Amino acid sequence: MVSSFFADIFKNNALNNFLLPVTVSDDFLQKIFAAIEKDPATIIAVDLAAQTISLPTSGDTEKFDINNYKKNCLLNGYDDIDYLLSIRGEIEKFEHSLI
């Protein structure tokens, strides 16, 4: 049996380097392998916004999970500092509410 999962350290490092590790079910993984064996030029489509991975030629699609914070960072090209800068106004508003 082939399994699809990532160790937490690898997964977080990949996300921090703008790589998207996608975990799929064993059934979908077998479909990917079969499609690639049939045609090594098989296209695998990943839609981060919709959180789906699909094989366009067969129409097979599967949803995947991703942390909303990391999804937001990837979609906007943010690292952790960029994200904080993007919500600077909210942070300043919160800080002023404490005074």
Side-chain angles (χ1 to χ4, degrees):
M1 177 196 322
V2 177
S3 184
S4 168
F5 79 95
F6 297 96
D8 288 341
I9 291 173
F10 173 81
K11 186 176 187 178
N12 288 324
N13 285 339
L15 288 165
N16 287 337
N17 286 292
F18 301 98
L19 299 173
L20 178 61
V22 174
T23 302
V24 297
S25 68
D26 289 341
D27 181 53
F28 194 79
L29 186 59
Q30 292 303 321
K31 289 177 183 179
I32 291 172
F33 287 151
I36 291 171
E37 187 174 315
K38 183 177 178 182
D39 178 7
T42 293
I43 293 174
I44 300 171
V46 178
D47 183 338
L48 176 56
Q51 292 181 225
T52 59
I53 182 170
S54 60
L55 296 164
T57 54
S58 69
D60 290 307
T61 299
E62 185 162 290
K63 294 205 56 88
F64 62 87
D65 293 326
I66 183 170
N67 173 289
N68 282 330
Y69 166 71
K70 288 298 186 182
K71 178 180 176 180
N72 183 20
C73 287
L74 288 173
L75 287 172
N76 292 293
Y78 293 159
D79 63 14
D80 292 336
I81 300 302
D82 292 326
Y83 175 77
L84 289 174
L85 290 173
S86 78
I87 61 168
R88 181 179 180 173
E90 294 173 47
I91 294 170
E92 289 172 345
K93 183 178 176 182
F94 175 76
E95 287 177 340
H96 289 292
S97 74
L98 297 175
I99 298 174

